Amino acid sequence: MQRPLSKEEQEWVERTLEAMSLRELIGQTMQDHAGRLPFKGDDEAALRGYLAQYPVGSFFIGGEVIQKAAGKAEDYRDWTVMLQRISKVPLLFSGDLEFGAGSAVKSLTAFPPLLALAAADDEALAYEYGKYTAMEGRAAGFTWALAPGTDLLLNWMNPVITTRCLGDDAGRAARLSAAVMRGMQDYGIAACAKHFPGDGVDYRDQHIITTINSLSEEEWFSTYGHVAQTIIDQGVMSYMTGHIALPWIDGGDAAAKPVPATVSERITTELLRERMGFDGVVLSDALDMGGFLAWGDYEKRIIDCFNCGTDVLLWPGVRYFAVMEQAVADGRVSRERLTASVRRILEMKARLGVQFTSTAGEDGMALPLLDDKLPPKLDRQVRQLSRELAGRCITVVRNRTGQLPLNPQTVRRVLVIMLNKVTEGRKYERMNLFVEQLKARGLQVDILDEFEPLTTLRQWEQSGISWDAAFAPYFLPLHGMMNTARPVGEAAKAIWAMQHAETIKPIGISFASPYLLQDIPFLDTLVNAYSLHEDTVELTVKALFGEIPFQGNSPVHADSQDDYHGSRGLQKT
Amino acid sequence: MQRPLSKEEQEWVERTLEAMSLRELIGQTMQDHAGRLPFKGDDEAALRGYLAQYPVGSFFIGGEVIQKAAGKAEDYRDWTVMLQRISKVPLLFSGDLEFGAGSAVKSLTAFPPLLALAAADDEALAYEYGKYTAMEGRAAGFTWALAPGTDLLLNWMNPVITTRCLGDDAGRAARLSAAVMRGMQDYGIAACAKHFPGDGVDYRDQHIITTINSLSEEEWFSTYGHVAQTIIDQGVMSYMTGHIALPWIDGGDAAAKPVPATVSERITTELLRERMGFDGVVLSDALDMGGFLAWGDYEKRIIDCFNCGTDVLLWPGVRYFAVMEQAVADGRVSRERLTASVRRILEMKARLGVQFTSTAGEDGMALPLLDDKLPPKLDRQVRQLSRELAGRCITVVRNRTGQLPLNPQTVRRVLVIMLNKVTEGRKYERMNLFVEQLKARGLQVDILDEFEPLTTLRQWEQSGISWDAAFAPYFLPLHGMMNTARPVGEAAKAIWAMQHAETIKPIGISFASPYLLQDIPFLDTLVNAYSLHEDTVELTVKALFGEIPFQGNSPVHADSQDDYHGSRGLQKT
């Protein structure tokens, strides 16, 4: 549970609460998106007018992890200082700091993703992962990380949380997510566990439709419930609900449509708040996601979301104020319910110390930035952590024929079969990092990266070319809205071609889904590297050639025989 | 079972067999691909030399159904006449005549696919489907249809047989596939049931890897086994084995790799030939498919394929002759086994009457072509069948709010949300047929077909545009090597956007997978039309506006509540 507030903190909360108008109360319960303001973000006069009309309680800043990091740390910090100066009640600034502050801010440090952290499986490392995220993050103006992920990758087909979670084992995920959370919160940033009641069971994407966690009550408590209870008991300050239904507790009108947690009182209040004892802030997932839109019209969605027990609604847009004012006026939303949420939000603000923001807007608890980074010694420590994790996550899933490590003396010419293309029109350039690393070793590299790979491989083989090793690197961007994590389109064609090549035995390397064997079961050799993180790619190549050991342990059952029966998705007939 | 041969037929078989050299015997057991000759196909001198060196027993001609129909009927016929004139033993000419002869030859009649036939569920119609395929096919030189499909769509995720099969009910599939087969064989074309032991259980594609039919013995016999036994008992002349494993009967070395039927003696000889009593020709599926390549090097693959009980190998390439000569010489292949296969092939030729081909190569049993079509009266009958089936297959899967049929008096402006794009770079133009049909009715059509559909829809709605109806047509090409049948990429993004549109209630129309509700469960209205067949698209629009009734019955459980639990593919933990 969270630490009790001090007497001074408690007094600040009550004093602030008493001074608020209805509109200001409502404002605390929404989180705005800094990237969606209807004017240039650095226009101070416009911002003053905006906040006077829409006194929101928090802003989301930085890039979205599902898209990409963006911007400079100093710019974000300066913006937050200006906003604090303007705002009557101190604001919180949240970001998608899932894999280091660099996953939201381009100039900060990006860590390998959570699944890599799970492959290293070291609680001390996980604590530092959270700690350095917080130190960099708060220096750049963030006070609220929408992290860590507490989801479990129970369905290998899940297209959303692929490498954004801590694997499929609830014990490991509980231990590591709680450590990341403690690291964050010990260093000045509120963590937000996500998602409740847990993503990773459905084969679909809550960005697209409402998804379903179909576990039974017993199964849920021994998996997602265990992770949630652990991180709650250790004091996580906030929890994000997902657009995910949990039929064992809220079946709704099952024939019509599932009830996502973001509108379910049974899930959010009865289960999370009452049964599990969560006393922090409940933040909804983004309200423009497909999983929420289907619930009803805007007004119904918003009011159901608030009334089910949500404290803060993520990105409802400023229409929210009028809808909520009307709903309070006509009794659809109770003032007590509103005050209870705002009190929880202010308590979180007090715990983060934002009440001590100077009148100039300065955050006395933030580390300074030098050249857009932390001071040199700390900066080195953060970068070092990133590299250490990169080295420790790389996992040999299969090495059946003892092909690894490769002999650098005899391997001179290699074939790279690119599994990073969906169609002729769309491929993922970052795979070039891998090819560059091979070339930097002086290797002769042939690249198979085209529309008719079978024909080309045949021609190459018939012309007498042979290779000392062949690599089949796979990449699909982290949640690229593909609705799948599997190799599709041209990548699948290349899998066909890989088997034709009688002169080669391809080494699979997944820089994305850890479940590549589901679609390429014939691989004798597979390495999982979890991301195209720069250090990871460099160290993967070193490990392939035996210069460093492979140290990761697979955080999912990536090579279970049970997985190859081919009947996934088989209908009951 | 097949009809016994007449005394004359039997004599022709034995006489022909006795006159054959070893190389000629070997040649009967391979099927060549007319599109892969190493010279121009109309070069008679080159063909003479080729057949003298490689006396193959049959040629595949026409387009491949998984790609597209190609060419003119007269050109194919002329080519087969020339080949028969040259060949010592009369040849067979096979084609992917799955949905009418038009699925292989562009100028002939393309029918709606098998799944549409299953939606109409009329045995008499199925017989005509086979009959007219054979009449047009034989007129164009074909004597062997690689059809009908006997697969069952038990796994909604299966990416290969989506609309190429007769649904998920074994009784219906048995009835209809046998009727198609009888229609074909009564009118001069050998049918080839495919695939044994049955595709449709795996979520993967045997073109890419060896797939697995994971049913138990009991389950298999009550589903695939029932279909196979029915079509065998009614006398199908040939059966195509797939690169599909059947672990209940041949587990192989399960840890290493699955054993596809194409190399499995247990599946091909013990099950198909002995236990089920199949006495026709076993043809392998194409040997350049990924599902076969992984078995071993070329020589091992070929010899295992022949020795397991295959009579004819599909597209092994002419390397086949040398490998088999050596294998017979050193005893790895027995002469008795070879003779037994050739006898079965010659018996099939005798049943088809190709021994009566004139010395000029003319096929006396083929109907004449006029203007590249059947004579006018017959041609009209074939086209009429195609249109009749188109009208009878269109299926209302859901009409929860009674939105269908639309009122042509009040619907003036419509929105079309295109679900036919994987990425910015790849969309399927044939969907334009649907839009053209709407415009031809005088409707004002707005098309949402772009990279950020959510933003655009918002803008349109905010600008006050509203629609009287909205359609969300879905298409992914039949086996486009996508490794998925689901809406992915841009199509998935459009599903997100569909829910934002508060002014519309989209009507889903699938021109591909019948299982669209798995990814778009919120649809209140869904029509399955199974293909972009021209008549079907035109009649779908008529049915939407109430001008003709919807007559199809879903041949799969397309709207079963069991399907929406989201846990497809969930790992056992």
Side-chain angles (χ1 to χ4, degrees):
Chain A
M1 295 300 147
Q2 304 186 80
R3 71 164 172 84
L5 292 190
S6 69
K7 185 151 173 291
E8 291 72 25
E9 287 167 342
Q10 197 61 57
E11 282 169 6
W12 177 81
V13 167
E14 296 304 326
R15 196 167 62 239
T16 307
L17 197 53
E18 273 164 34
M20 280 182 176
S21 67
L22 172 63
R23 196 166 175 92
E24 287 165 347
L25 290 170
I26 290 169
Q28 291 296 308
T29 64
M30 79 164 265
Q31 184 164 129
D32 210 343
H33 192 310
R36 298 182 186 171
L37 292 167
F39 47 84
K40 275 196 72 184
D42 59 358
D43 180 341
E44 183 165 341
L47 276 168
R48 276 185 194 281
Y50 184 84
L51 282 187
Q53 194 180 356
Y54 307 116
V56 300
S58 54
F59 274 99
F60 177 91
I61 58 176
E64 293 174 40
V65 75
I66 59 165
Q67 291 162 357
K68 57 184 178 192
K72 294 176 60 183
E74 285 166 356
D75 294 341
Y76 288 113
R77 187 207 44 207
D78 293 350
W79 195 78
T80 62
V81 168
M82 176 169 66
L83 267 284
Q84 293 293 41
R85 201 165 59 227
I86 295 170
S87 179
K88 176 179 158 190
V89 178
L91 292 156
L92 293 179
F93 296 96
S94 81
D96 261 347
L97 310 183
E98 293 189 26
F99 319 139
S103 59
V105 180
K106 201 161 182 179
S107 68
L108 297 177
T109 311
F111 296 152
L114 278 193
L115 199 59
L117 186 64
D121 197 3
D122 178 331
E123 208 170 320
L125 206 63
Y127 182 86
E128 303 241 295
Y129 194 100
K131 169 184 160 184
Y132 288 120
T133 300
M135 289 172 86
E136 279 198 349
R138 186 126 184 185
F142 294 86
T143 39
W144 196 355
L146 306 189
T150 51
D151 298 312
L152 295 170
L153 194 54
L154 298 189
N155 186 337
W156 70 271
M157 290 194 195
N158 183 279
V160 198
I161 62 160
T162 326
T163 57
R164 289 172 72 196
C165 70
L166 288 155
D168 62 10
D169 180 88
R172 187 196 297 113
R175 236 186 315 115
L176 298 180
S177 64
V180 172
M181 176 275 291
R182 292 194 311 270
M184 286 175 170
Q185 295 191 172
D186 287 353
Y187 286 82
I189 280 204
C192 183
K194 71 187 184 192
H195 310 82
F196 196 87
D199 205 337
V201 172
D202 204 310
Y203 59 88
R204 296 165 303 194
D205 181 345
Q206 50 156 332
H207 292 81
I208 297 169
I209 63 156
T210 306
T211 61
I212 300 175
N213 183 324
S214 60
L215 299 187
S216 69
E217 179 172 0
E218 191 187 346
E219 288 169 332
W220 187 85
F221 271 102
S222 67
T223 53
Y224 293 96
H226 172 68
V227 184
Q229 195 66 66
T230 303
I231 204 163
I232 289 168
D233 290 350
Q234 295 192 27
V236 70
M237 290 185 182
S238 65
Y239 223 124
M240 182 184 284
T241 47
H243 309 306
I244 301 169
L246 189 65
W248 73 256
I249 192 168
D250 195 351
D253 175 4
K257 56 185 169 189
V259 187
T262 36
V263 296
S264 168
E265 189 168 359
R266 290 198 179 159
I267 299 174
T268 298
T269 295
E270 291 177 24
L271 179 61
L272 174 59
R273 191 71 84 197
E274 295 169 0
R275 190 153 162 190
M276 309 191 74
F278 177 62
D279 59 354
V281 168
V282 172
L283 173 69
S284 76
D285 206 341
L287 300 188
D288 57 357
M289 288 163 65
F292 187 69
L293 296 176
W295 183 246
D297 65 25
Y298 178 81
E299 205 164 310
K300 173 175 171 57
R301 294 195 304 256
I302 290 299
I303 292 174
D304 286 354
C305 180
F306 183 80
N307 277 342
C308 84
T310 312
D311 296 313
V312 179
L313 282 72
L314 187 59
W315 313 342
V318 292
R319 279 200 277 176
Y320 181 68
F321 284 89
V323 167
M324 285 290 279
E325 281 174 334
Q326 184 59 46
V328 171
D330 62 26
R332 281 172 299 155
V333 167
S334 86
R335 186 117 188 176
E336 291 65 37
R337 179 63 198 79
L338 181 61
T339 306
S341 278
V342 176
R343 181 174 283 113
R344 276 192 286 268
I345 297 156
L346 293 176
E347 286 172 354
M348 184 164 112
K349 291 186 173 183
R351 286 194 175 91
L352 292 164
V354 293
Q355 69 274 34
F356 303 120
T357 306
S358 74
T359 48
E362 305 277 355
D363 175 7
M365 293 170 68
L367 291 167
L369 290 170
L370 289 175
D371 293 332
D372 216 47
K373 295 184 280 200
L374 289 185
K377 192 179 156 193
L378 278 172
D379 182 62
R380 275 195 304 276
Q381 287 175 7
V382 188
R383 310 272 164 186
Q384 178 49 37
L385 174 73
S386 180
R387 190 167 177 89
E388 185 187 343
L389 175 54
R392 288 177 62 183
C393 71
I394 306 161
T395 307
V396 174
V397 178
R398 263 196 198 161
N399 189 19
R400 277 180 176 170
T401 57
Q403 209 181 356
L404 295 179
L406 296 166
N407 183 343
Q409 305 310 316
T410 57
V411 174
R412 317 302 295 167
R413 184 171 189 170
V414 299
L415 173 66
V416 178
I417 301 163
M418 291 291 210
L419 305 180
N420 68 329
K421 210 194 251 186
V422 175
T423 67
E424 293 147 284
R426 180 162 170 176
K427 66 177 179 177
Y428 303 107
E429 300 293 349
R430 288 176 63 208
M431 191 76 96
N432 295 343
L433 276 174
F434 176 69
V435 173
E436 283 160 21
Q437 291 289 333
L438 295 175
K439 287 184 176 164
R441 299 183 67 88
L443 294 168
Q444 184 178 350
V445 183
D446 297 305
I447 298 173
L448 187 72
D449 181 26
E450 50 176 290
F451 193 53
E452 287 297 347
L454 192 61
T455 313
T456 304
L457 261 187
R458 260 189 198 146
Q459 284 167 353
W460 284 359
E461 288 185 339
Q462 282 167 7
S463 75
I465 297 179
S466 73
W467 300 277
D468 307 312
F471 305 106
Y474 175 61
F475 183 68
L476 198 72
L478 183 71
H479 179 35
M481 289 294 287
M482 281 304 296
N483 204 26
T484 186
R486 299 173 52 193
V488 292
E490 298 308 298
K493 263 196 175 172
I495 295 170
W496 175 0
M498 278 161 69
Q499 299 167 89
H500 186 268
E502 302 198 11
T503 53
I504 58 168
K505 292 192 175 170
I507 297 169
I509 306 170
S510 180
F511 295 107
S513 166
Y515 288 112
L516 204 55
L517 291 175
Q518 296 283 355
D519 278 289
I520 323 185
F522 60 79
L523 286 174
D524 284 326
T525 317
L526 175 65
V527 170
N528 277 348
Y530 310 105
S531 75
L532 283 170
H533 181 270
E534 272 187 49
D535 290 333
T536 305
V537 175
E538 184 194 333
L539 295 173
T540 297
V541 173
K542 283 188 192 297
L544 289 170
F545 285 91
E547 289 166 20
I548 58 168
F550 290 100
Q551 296 184 69
N553 288 303
S554 182
V556 296
H557 292 88
D559 189 18
S560 155
Q561 281 305 324
D562 275 356
D563 298 346
Y564 304 111
H565 292 165
S567 55
R568 304 275 162 213
L570 183 63
Q571 288 193 20
K572 291 172 204 87
T573 47
Chain B
M1 295 302 146
Q2 304 185 81
R3 69 162 172 85
L5 292 191
S6 68
K7 185 153 175 286
E8 289 71 25
E9 287 167 342
Q10 197 61 55
E11 281 169 6
W12 176 81
V13 168
E14 296 305 324
R15 196 167 62 239
T16 307
L17 198 54
E18 273 164 35
M20 278 182 177
S21 67
L22 172 63
R23 197 166 174 92
E24 286 166 346
L25 291 171
I26 291 169
Q28 290 297 309
T29 65
M30 78 164 267
Q31 184 164 129
D32 209 345
H33 192 311
R36 297 183 187 170
L37 292 168
F39 48 85
K40 276 195 74 185
D42 58 357
D43 181 340
E44 184 167 341
L47 275 169
R48 277 185 193 279
Y50 184 82
L51 281 188
Q53 193 180 357
Y54 306 116
V56 302
S58 54
F59 274 99
F60 177 91
I61 58 176
E64 293 174 40
V65 75
I66 60 165
Q67 291 162 357
K68 55 183 178 194
K72 294 175 63 184
E74 285 167 356
D75 293 341
Y76 288 113
R77 188 207 42 206
D78 293 349
W79 196 78
T80 61
V81 168
M82 175 167 65
L83 266 284
Q84 293 294 40
R85 201 164 60 224
I86 295 171
S87 179
K88 177 178 158 192
V89 177
L91 292 155
L92 293 179
F93 296 97
S94 82
D96 261 348
L97 311 184
E98 293 189 25
F99 319 139
S103 59
V105 180
K106 203 160 181 178
S107 68
L108 297 176
T109 311
F111 297 152
L114 278 193
L115 199 60
L117 186 63
D121 198 3
D122 179 332
E123 208 171 321
L125 206 62
Y127 182 85
E128 304 241 294
Y129 194 98
K131 168 184 161 184
Y132 287 121
T133 299
M135 289 173 85
E136 280 199 348
R138 185 126 186 185
F142 294 85
T143 38
W144 197 355
L146 305 188
T150 51
D151 298 312
L152 295 169
L153 195 55
L154 297 190
N155 186 337
W156 70 272
M157 290 193 195
N158 183 280
V160 197
I161 61 160
T162 325
T163 56
R164 288 173 72 196
C165 70
L166 289 155
D168 61 10
D169 181 86
R172 188 196 297 111
R175 235 186 316 112
L176 298 180
S177 64
V180 173
M181 177 274 293
R182 291 194 312 270
M184 286 176 170
Q185 297 192 170
D186 286 351
Y187 286 82
I189 280 204
C192 183
K194 68 188 186 190
H195 308 82
F196 195 87
D199 205 338
V201 172
D202 205 311
Y203 58 89
R204 296 166 301 194
D205 181 344
Q206 49 156 332
H207 293 80
I208 297 170
I209 63 157
T210 306
T211 60
I212 299 175
N213 183 323
S214 61
L215 299 187
S216 68
E217 179 173 359
E218 192 186 346
E219 289 169 333
W220 187 85
F221 271 101
S222 65
T223 52
Y224 293 95
H226 173 68
V227 184
Q229 194 66 66
T230 304
I231 203 164
I232 289 169
D233 290 349
Q234 295 192 27
V236 70
M237 290 187 184
S238 65
Y239 222 125
M240 181 184 285
T241 47
H243 309 306
I244 301 169
L246 189 65
W248 72 257
I249 190 167
D250 194 351
D253 175 6
K257 56 186 170 189
V259 187
T262 36
V263 295
S264 169
E265 191 170 357
R266 291 200 177 158
I267 299 173
T268 299
T269 296
E270 291 177 24
L271 180 61
L272 175 57
R273 189 72 81 195
E274 295 169 1
R275 191 155 161 188
M276 307 190 77
F278 176 63
D279 58 353
V281 168
V282 173
L283 173 70
S284 77
D285 207 340
L287 299 188
D288 57 357
M289 288 164 66
F292 187 68
L293 296 176
W295 183 247
D297 64 25
Y298 178 80
E299 206 165 309
K300 175 176 170 54
R301 295 195 303 257
I302 290 298
I303 293 174
D304 287 354
C305 180
F306 184 79
N307 277 341
C308 84
T310 312
D311 296 312
V312 180
L313 282 72
L314 186 57
W315 312 341
V318 290
R319 281 201 277 174
Y320 181 67
F321 283 90
V323 167
M324 284 291 279
E325 280 173 333
Q326 183 59 47
V328 171
D330 63 23
R332 281 173 299 157
V333 167
S334 86
R335 187 118 187 178
E336 291 65 37
R337 178 64 198 79
L338 182 60
T339 306
S341 279
V342 177
R343 181 173 282 111
R344 275 192 287 266
I345 295 156
L346 293 176
E347 286 172 354
M348 184 163 112
K349 289 186 174 183
R351 285 194 177 91
L352 292 164
V354 293
Q355 69 274 33
F356 304 119
T357 306
S358 75
T359 49
E362 305 277 353
D363 176 7
M365 294 170 67
L367 291 166
L369 290 170
L370 288 176
D371 293 333
D372 216 47
K373 296 184 278 201
L374 289 185
K377 190 178 159 196
L378 278 171
D379 182 62
R380 275 195 304 276
Q381 287 174 8
V382 187
R383 312 269 164 187
Q384 178 50 36
L385 174 73
S386 181
R387 191 168 176 88
E388 184 187 344
L389 175 54
R392 288 177 60 184
C393 72
I394 306 161
T395 308
V396 174
V397 178
R398 263 196 197 161
N399 189 20
R400 276 181 175 169
T401 57
Q403 208 180 356
L404 294 179
L406 296 166
N407 182 344
Q409 305 310 316
T410 58
V411 174
R412 317 303 292 169
R413 183 171 190 169
V414 299
L415 174 65
V416 178
I417 301 164
M418 290 290 208
L419 304 181
N420 67 331
K421 209 195 254 187
V422 175
T423 68
E424 293 148 282
R426 180 160 168 175
K427 65 176 179 177
Y428 304 107
E429 300 293 349
R430 288 177 62 208
M431 191 75 96
N432 295 344
L433 275 175
F434 176 70
V435 173
E436 283 159 21
Q437 290 290 332
L438 296 174
K439 287 184 176 164
R441 300 182 65 88
L443 294 167
Q444 183 177 351
V445 182
D446 297 304
I447 297 174
L448 187 71
D449 181 26
E450 49 174 291
F451 194 52
E452 286 299 346
L454 192 61
T455 313
T456 305
L457 261 186
R458 260 190 198 143
Q459 284 167 354
W460 284 359
E461 288 186 339
Q462 282 167 9
S463 75
I465 297 178
S466 73
W467 300 277
D468 307 312
F471 305 106
Y474 175 60
F475 183 68
L476 197 70
L478 182 70
H479 180 35
M481 289 295 286
M482 281 304 295
N483 204 26
T484 187
R486 299 173 52 193
V488 293
E490 298 309 298
K493 262 196 174 173
I495 296 170
W496 174 2
M498 277 160 70
Q499 298 167 90
H500 187 267
E502 303 197 11
T503 52
I504 57 170
K505 291 192 177 171
I507 296 169
I509 306 169
S510 180
F511 294 108
S513 166
Y515 287 113
L516 204 56
L517 291 175
Q518 295 283 357
D519 278 288
I520 323 184
F522 60 81
L523 286 173
D524 284 326
T525 316
L526 174 66
V527 170
N528 278 347
Y530 310 106
S531 75
L532 283 171
H533 181 269
E534 271 186 50
D535 289 333
T536 306
V537 176
E538 184 194 334
L539 296 172
T540 297
V541 173
K542 284 188 192 296
L544 288 170
F545 284 92
E547 290 165 20
I548 58 168
F550 290 99
Q551 295 184 69
N553 288 304
S554 182
V556 296
H557 292 88
D559 189 19
S560 154
Q561 282 304 325
D562 274 355
D563 299 344
Y564 306 111
H565 292 166
S567 56
R568 304 273 162 214
L570 183 63
Q571 288 193 17
K572 292 171 201 90
T573 48

